[in-house]
Amino acid sequence: MLRWLALVILLIASPALAQEGAKPDLVLTGEITGADHQTYKPVIFDVPTGVTRLSVAFDYTGRENRTVIDLGLLDPVRFRGWSGGNKKGFFVSTEAATASYLPGPLPAGKWTLLLGVPNARPNSKATYEAKVWFQLALAPLPAVLAPNTFPRATTPGWYRGDLHMHTAHSDGGCVTGEAPRAPCPVYRTVLAAQAAGLDFIAVTDHNTTSQAEALAELQPAFPGLLLITGREVTTFQGHANVFGPTAFIDFRLGSKTVPTIRALQQAVKAAGGVFSINHPAVPSGEQCMGCGWTAKDTDYGAVQSIEVANGGNEKALGGFEGILSGVPFWEAQLNQGRRITAVGGSDNHDAGIPHDKPSAVGRPATVIYAEGLSADAILAGLRAGRVFIDLDGTRDRLLDLAAKAGGAEAVMGGVLTVKPGQAVTFQAAVTGADAKGLEIVRDGRVMTPPVDADGRFQLTVDQAGWVRLNVRDATGRLLMIGNPIYLRVG
């Protein structure tokens, strides 16, 4: 038992502790200049046969000039992880790895320490140093737990979730007891989601899916909470969540491997993923390089959803409306005739934030009408668009919209075909808030038709467009954001 415990401690220790006093096997050095701004710099090194553990300690100069260097790793066969700027060292081994990185066999050959450079000012110079250690012949360990299949619930209904959150597998941190702030393990996020009364979450660490193993291990212990693997594809031209697949998706937008945003979107489609643009209105600059959506030639036909409400933005603005809101960006796409689902996400980086505070897990909540509680059903429901955002992440609010014209009917997310000049009867359903706060939005403009006590109102339709709902409280504070019914004239 003591030998096994010592081995486990060795496996999870930081690279510096694991190799204390040992001379590195390799020292990789180089220079970053202004010409490297927003590029990816591969640093190639050789790994010999028989290595069972590889450790890296990394540091660089130039921070006083705002030089930023992110960190990732590829072996000769596959992508092994991405920690961005949140770690100065890591290890990968046959049985385990630092959060953000993938365990598994370490093939001999050419490996790549991948340096991403989100910012390097013109005429600046910085140097980097990576110390690399190789270790051979660790004692064998038990096999890693295989992924568990979530038992599908088949009851149609509304399911509440959070589609944007981070853990120790990227830059999520939290405080436990008297311990200092440290990388926050996945289980803390799962416990917070359970406490918030959520039905599903998507853990979207930056450019990696190493968290999938932890989610698979935790899933059987949380049968009422669906754990979906995602990632936040973090590029210099914007961030987007990808839900579903766990295979590597190359995020190096602007490089030779991913020259355009359309190439990245095609890779997501080929992997079967849902592509969701995050916090599109956030300014992109040295304070948060690439945080706003600036990717030219985006194929919006390949965008399934847009994050219009972000918990971090709520914290910055004191609410969900203002210059950081994603609603105008989304509505501009709707006005181009596109059908894209609006979603929200906490963008949580600290699972210990109380639920009544901005960016807590489940605040805001995305509420999806789905055929059941499974990843396939939730993502199908997201695509279908019968979705609303509960900005406070309550357990009981509901918002829905239906429409009728002649014998045709549609619900939120659907399409209603009408004749020119035809009157359409809409039926709003509001639970958990005062229906007097109903706000009707048509093609981006607030309308004020008479609404009866049952939530019915009429609009005359002469041209194609869309109608959706918001709900506000008595002070005008926004509580819920609804998705549209799309109107087609023919």
Side-chain angles (χ1 to χ4, degrees):
M1 175 61 76
L2 291 177
R3 179 176 176 273
W4 166 248
L5 181 59
L7 190 56
V8 170
I9 292 172
L10 175 64
L11 281 169
I12 65 175
S14 70
L17 290 175
Q19 306 293 346
E20 187 177 359
K23 181 180 178 180
D25 295 285
L26 293 175
V27 178
L28 309 171
T29 61
E31 188 175 78
I32 297 295
T33 70
D36 296 311
H37 177 71
Q38 293 196 357
T39 64
Y40 296 94
K41 194 177 185 74
V43 180
I44 311 298
F45 62 100
D46 290 303
V47 172
T49 301
V51 172
T52 56
R53 177 185 170 113
L54 181 154
S55 301
V56 175
F58 183 82
D59 208 355
Y60 63 96
T61 65
R63 291 180 176 86
E64 70 280 3
N65 290 321
R66 295 294 184 92
T67 296
V68 178
I69 304 178
D70 294 336
L71 203 58
L73 185 70
L74 297 92
D75 71 20
V77 179
R78 64 177 181 142
F79 171 75
R80 296 301 289 260
W82 178 264
S83 55
N86 67 75
K87 293 179 176 67
K88 295 180 68 174
F90 62 86
F91 79 91
V92 294
S93 76
T94 53
E95 299 85 11
T98 301
S100 301
Y101 293 87
L102 300 172
L106 277 64
K110 301 289 185 183
W111 285 57
T112 302
L113 186 66
L114 183 60
L115 308 184
V117 187
N119 200 64
R121 289 176 173 174
N123 303 317
S124 66
K125 288 186 179 181
T127 60
Y128 65 83
E129 180 183 78
K131 297 177 181 178
V132 184
W133 292 266
F134 303 132
Q135 190 166 344
L136 304 173
L138 279 175
L141 296 175
V144 175
L145 290 176
N148 293 279
T149 301
F150 186 80
R152 294 171 181 264
T154 58
T155 305
W158 294 100
Y159 294 96
R160 319 180 79 83
D162 191 338
L163 292 170
H164 190 172
M165 53 186 62
H166 300 277
T167 71
H169 290 263
S170 57
D171 51 354
C174 59
V175 176
T176 302
E178 297 179 358
R181 187 175 179 84
C184 203
V186 175
Y187 83 88
R188 289 287 303 275
T189 294
V190 175
L191 286 173
Q194 183 184 56
L198 299 181
D199 301 303
F200 66 89
I201 58 172
V203 178
T204 54
D205 284 305
H206 295 283
N207 292 336
T208 192
T209 57
S210 59
Q211 68 274 18
E213 184 179 349
L215 294 172
E217 184 175 354
L218 289 167
Q219 184 64 94
F222 294 86
L225 176 62
L226 174 65
L227 310 179
I228 301 173
T229 301
R231 81 199 75 183
E232 185 171 17
V233 176
T234 306
T235 81
F236 303 140
Q237 299 173 36
H239 298 182
N241 279 341
V242 174
F243 307 116
T246 57
F248 172 56
I249 293 173
D250 198 334
F251 53 86
R252 292 172 288 181
L253 179 58
S255 69
K256 291 181 179 179
T257 56
V258 191
T260 66
I261 184 61
R262 290 179 180 249
L264 193 154
Q265 290 179 288
Q266 288 167 2
V268 172
K269 182 179 179 180
V274 169
F275 189 91
S276 183
I277 294 175
N278 286 343
H279 40 69
V282 172
S284 184
E286 287 188 343
Q287 294 300 319
C288 193
M289 188 62 69
C291 284
W293 193 259
T294 62
K296 296 180 180 179
D297 300 320
T298 300
D299 179 5
Y300 287 98
V303 175
Q304 285 76 52
S305 60
I306 294 173
E307 184 186 73
V308 305
N310 176 280
N313 291 350
E314 181 196 11
K315 183 177 182 180
L317 295 171
F320 285 99
E321 295 185 282
I323 60 172
L324 302 182
S325 169
V327 170
F329 180 93
W330 167 59
E331 290 188 337
Q333 303 309 317
L334 299 182
N335 285 338
Q336 293 293 316
R338 300 179 177 112
R339 294 173 58 189
I340 301 175
T341 303
V343 299
S346 68
D347 202 356
N348 176 264
H349 286 71
D350 181 349
I353 296 175
H355 188 65
D356 62 346
K357 302 296 183 182
S359 200
V361 170
R363 181 189 177 100
T366 300
V367 190
I368 299 175
Y369 190 90
E371 293 303 310
L373 190 59
S374 69
D376 288 346
I378 292 296
L379 297 181
L382 187 155
R383 289 185 176 99
R386 195 175 179 188
V387 175
F388 72 91
I389 305 163
D390 181 349
L391 297 175
D392 294 329
T394 72
R395 301 189 184 203
D396 60 352
R397 286 181 187 160
L398 286 174
L399 175 63
D400 202 4
L401 181 63
K404 293 182 180 181
E409 299 182 9
V411 294
M412 190 163 56
V415 178
L416 184 70
T417 301
V418 301
K419 297 176 182 179
Q422 188 171 14
V424 178
T425 300
F426 293 87
Q427 174 73 64
V430 179
T431 302
D434 191 340
K436 293 179 181 178
L438 198 66
E439 182 175 81
I440 299 161
V441 183
R442 181 177 181 179
D443 301 336
R445 302 183 303 275
V446 175
M447 311 294 290
T448 57
V451 181
D452 70 19
D454 294 321
R456 284 189 296 266
F457 60 93
Q458 282 195 338
L459 295 172
T460 300
V461 177
D462 294 309
Q463 60 185 14
W466 51 270
V467 175
R468 68 173 192 85
L469 304 176
N470 290 325
V471 178
R472 299 181 180 274
D473 68 11
T475 70
R477 186 174 72 92
L478 192 59
L479 301 179
M480 290 185 276
I481 298 172
N483 272 279
I485 290 176
Y486 301 90
L487 304 172
R488 181 183 299 157
V489 177

